[in-house]
Amino acid sequence: MRLSRMGAMFPTRLSFLRTLIRRLAAEKVTVSRPVWDMCKDGFGHAVYSLRLGSHTYSLIAVSTDLPSEMRTDRVIATAWDSAYVLYDGVPDADEITRIRAAAPKQEASRFTERDLILSRANKSVRLFAHVVAALRAGRQPDAAMVRDVGYLMRTTAVYGNGKFGIADRALIDTRPGLEGPFAAEMLTVWLIRHFTHDLVEHVGQGVLDASLKRHLGIGNSTGLGMAPFLVTHPVLLNNWMQARETALARVRAIETLGMAKQTRLKALAMRAAQHLAEWNVPDPLHQSRINTLREDWNAVCETFDFTGRRPLDGAINSVKSHSADVQELTAALMIEPFGEIVDGLAACMADPAFGHGPMPRDTDALRRAIERNFTWALAPDYDDPACCGQFWYVSEAKQEPRLGHRFKESGADLETPLDIGRRIKSLYRDLPVNTVATSDFLQSHPDHALAVARVQMAGQFPYAEIRDNLIASSCLPIDMLRCKLSFFGASKFDPKSDRWTRITLCQGAPLAVDLAQECDDWWLPVFAP
């Protein structure tokens, strides 16, 4: 639960997109397109519908003519190439008219509980134009360009859970197929990907090769707005991590592997090597990290031995001296071929009960719990400027989380309470010498209520806390982003700073036409034209 390791995580078969696609395939879901009202240049609207878990959902996609000077992935944007609503049911003409007017306005509009997810996206202008030109010329686009870019559009937000008036998660969190974390958001992204394929074919007046379509996922630009979620949803974070660690424990306990599984693991290791070879980013520092991982992974692959007793445990132990990048990629690899003992853990990754642990009955119990579970929080000197150099706050203009420099910028008086480590240490210092009931202590020290609640959870939820100082000058939010995005199923991280990144979702994922057959083999996809 250190940031440096969380920032090295890779997607696994427990990632939310993988879980969703397996559910769609199990139900042999079909996608229809009852509405397609687009001009020849691709501006207009479309509706896609599917039935999942006895409910029908529709994606309403609105494509607009966006002037180039207004196209930006920054949160300050007020217009986008396209906007989307995942709708509960099949919208009638009046509802389509309402959504066509509201969706392009995003935050500036308001929505209803029939609107489950709100999103928007911008084109990858260079690739979109190239694919259109190629199709109009009667040929397929350049394979290398498709490989290198990997998406026709990238989303800049996928909003759920009541934002701007859309439905609260409680409306859908028990529905079959959408009960898992972020399932509705992942369904939206998967359908947006289909729309981008249809749109480029419509404008290009041609048909893309299916293998190119599968490689064209959805890009995404994600910034600081996502990072605090892991702190404010500690039980969810615990459940995600515990599912992954349980999966690792299960595969490590496998006594022996048959030849088929050995061959499969080696093939997946080679796929991972090719995926790394196709992962290139503009940032020289991160590209250097990728280059190092490529070299190390190629060397590690030669040493994996899946014969003998407990071979997967041996493989994981064999990389202990390597970087966190190598270790995390190895962990993801070891889980991948064992869906029969792993996939059921996906059902444990939500937090339907908003769990919490038993309250320590008195201040002595509190002290012991802190000393047992929070030594990481007691270590820093939070009075040292280096240990408190940043502060989290919420932007008044965009209602999005931001990170400020405590000694260079104003606003620290509006700090958001993400400084869990500092709060735990403050609580520890204020515990009285004489034992008193926790309730009495909180009555006289109400400012410690949050810290006590985190201590209360620690015993029952061991992965609930990021065990690092989140206000230190050295804190890199990009590590929090990568951790969360890996659980979404993201790949090919492309950091633009330590505060925002581009990623690719659904790359290699099955198309709707693929769902009738076995289609769960797209971990770390590689280009196969």
Side-chain angles (χ1 to χ4, degrees):
M1 300 306 294
R2 295 285 187 180
L3 284 175
S4 59
R5 180 166 295 277
M6 296 170 73
M9 292 180 67
F10 285 85
T12 72
R13 65 179 302 113
L14 290 173
S15 298
F16 307 140
L17 258 172
R18 292 284 299 281
T19 300
L20 171 71
I21 298 297
R22 283 196 295 272
R23 181 59 178 261
L24 295 176
E27 296 196 14
K28 293 182 169 51
V29 166
T30 59
V31 178
S32 64
R33 196 183 73 186
V35 177
W36 183 264
D37 187 356
M38 293 283 167
C39 74
K40 64 181 180 61
D41 295 319
F43 306 125
H45 68 279
V47 177
Y48 295 77
S49 296
L50 58 78
R51 191 160 182 82
L52 172 64
S54 76
H55 290 267
T56 299
Y57 305 101
S58 299
L59 180 80
I60 297 94
V62 183
S63 174
T64 53
D65 187 2
L66 181 67
S68 58
E69 65 271 15
M70 295 184 69
R71 185 177 291 107
T72 175
D73 288 348
R74 296 185 63 192
V75 74
I76 61 171
T78 57
W80 302 268
D81 283 311
S82 55
Y84 309 89
V85 165
L86 183 69
Y87 186 81
D88 190 3
V90 178
D92 60 21
D94 289 342
E95 285 288 78
I96 291 174
T97 298
R98 174 183 66 81
I99 291 170
R100 284 179 58 200
K105 299 176 183 177
Q106 297 281 297
E107 293 98 326
S109 191
R110 286 298 177 267
F111 299 86
T112 78
E113 66 175 11
R114 298 297 298 273
D115 308 323
L116 303 180
I117 302 294
L118 175 67
S119 185
R120 70 278 187 115
N122 285 330
K123 292 172 182 171
S124 173
V125 175
R126 182 170 60 98
L127 182 58
F128 197 96
H130 168 74
V131 174
V132 166
L135 291 178
R136 286 182 174 177
R139 55 181 172 79
Q140 292 296 304
D142 179 69
M145 192 171 178
V146 170
R147 178 198 64 205
D148 293 343
V149 178
Y151 53 81
L152 293 166
M153 287 192 186
R154 56 181 172 268
T155 59
T156 61
V158 183
Y159 294 127
N161 199 21
K163 200 161 188 176
F164 314 124
I166 61 179
D168 289 331
R169 175 163 167 74
L171 183 71
I172 59 172
D173 65 353
T174 60
R175 291 188 185 181
L178 295 188
E179 66 270 54
F182 293 95
E185 288 86 344
M186 297 301 100
L187 179 60
T188 303
V189 170
W190 184 71
L191 288 170
I192 290 173
R193 175 189 183 225
H194 282 73
F195 169 70
T196 69
H197 296 165
D198 287 356
L199 186 67
V200 81
E201 289 182 334
H202 172 80
V203 179
Q205 302 167 31
V207 178
L208 269 173
D209 183 84
S211 64
L212 295 180
K213 283 187 182 181
R214 292 187 187 96
H215 195 75
L216 287 168
I218 284 292
N220 174 265
S221 293
T222 295
L224 283 174
M226 179 179 282
F229 183 94
L230 297 182
V231 185
T232 57
H233 295 77
V235 177
L236 263 182
L237 176 61
N238 173 86
N239 293 352
W240 299 357
M241 289 291 187
Q242 189 133 26
R244 199 191 78 132
E245 292 304 301
T246 302
L248 275 174
R250 288 180 179 180
V251 300
R252 293 177 77 163
I254 295 173
E255 286 293 329
T256 58
L257 290 177
M259 186 56 65
K261 288 290 190 185
Q262 294 182 40
T263 302
R264 176 71 172 147
L265 279 163
K266 290 176 182 177
L268 288 169
M270 293 300 102
R271 181 196 296 179
Q274 185 179 344
H275 179 87
L276 296 177
E278 295 176 4
W279 180 12
N280 295 288
V281 299
D283 178 65
L285 186 62
H286 197 74
Q287 185 61 50
S288 175
R289 178 176 169 182
I290 295 170
N291 293 342
T292 299
L293 176 57
R294 287 173 182 166
E295 295 175 8
D296 292 346
W297 186 252
N298 288 335
V300 161
C301 286
E302 297 294 324
T303 67
F304 283 147
D305 180 6
F306 298 118
T307 63
R309 183 175 178 271
R310 294 203 172 181
L312 302 173
D313 184 60
I316 290 176
N317 288 332
S318 73
V319 299
K320 281 186 175 180
S321 62
H322 289 269
S323 67
D325 289 333
V326 170
Q327 293 177 37
E328 290 301 310
L329 183 51
T330 301
L333 167 65
M334 297 303 136
I335 293 172
E336 180 58 28
F338 299 98
E340 65 276 11
I341 61 172
V342 166
D343 290 350
L345 292 166
C348 306
M349 296 176 78
D351 176 25
F354 301 99
H356 55 81
M359 174 73 74
R361 65 181 181 181
D362 56 38
T363 51
D364 277 357
L366 266 176
R367 181 179 289 105
R368 290 193 299 271
I370 292 171
E371 291 171 349
R372 182 170 58 251
N373 298 314
F374 289 91
T375 53
W376 60 270
L378 300 180
D381 176 6
Y382 297 101
D383 294 325
D384 181 344
C387 292
C388 65
Q390 301 188 93
F391 67 94
W392 295 86
Y393 66 98
V394 175
S395 162
E396 183 177 15
K398 298 299 289 188
Q399 292 296 300
E400 292 276 356
R402 294 290 179 266
L403 194 57
H405 295 283
R406 189 178 305 276
F407 304 108
K408 297 178 182 179
E409 302 172 19
S410 61
D413 56 317
L414 302 174
E415 185 168 4
T416 304
L418 302 184
D419 54 335
I420 302 301
R422 182 172 64 172
R423 287 172 175 269
I424 295 293
K425 187 166 185 176
S426 177
L427 164 64
Y428 187 75
R429 286 174 172 171
D430 284 350
L431 292 176
V433 174
N434 300 321
T435 304
V436 300
T438 299
S439 57
D440 292 339
F441 172 77
L442 283 174
Q443 189 170 7
S444 58
H445 295 81
D447 51 311
H448 288 315
L450 174 58
V452 170
R454 304 302 278 232
V455 176
Q456 179 183 359
M457 284 188 294
Q460 186 171 341
F461 304 104
Y463 299 100
E465 300 292 352
I466 299 172
R467 301 189 175 204
D468 259 314
N469 179 8
L470 302 183
I471 58 171
S473 298
S474 58
C475 173
L476 300 177
I478 194 73
D479 292 330
M480 300 162 72
L481 298 181
R482 177 156 173 180
C483 171
K484 188 179 178 186
L485 290 165
S486 73
F487 278 104
F488 284 8
S491 61
K492 295 188 176 174
F493 296 86
D494 180 8
K496 299 304 179 183
S497 74
D498 64 6
R499 301 187 178 199
W500 76 282
T501 184
R502 286 180 180 166
I503 50 134
T504 306
L505 290 164
C506 292
Q507 190 171 63
L511 307 172
V513 296
D514 299 325
L515 295 178
Q517 56 197 16
E518 175 57 41
C519 59
D520 194 30
D521 185 17
W522 54 285
W523 176 70
L524 295 188
V526 296
F527 190 62

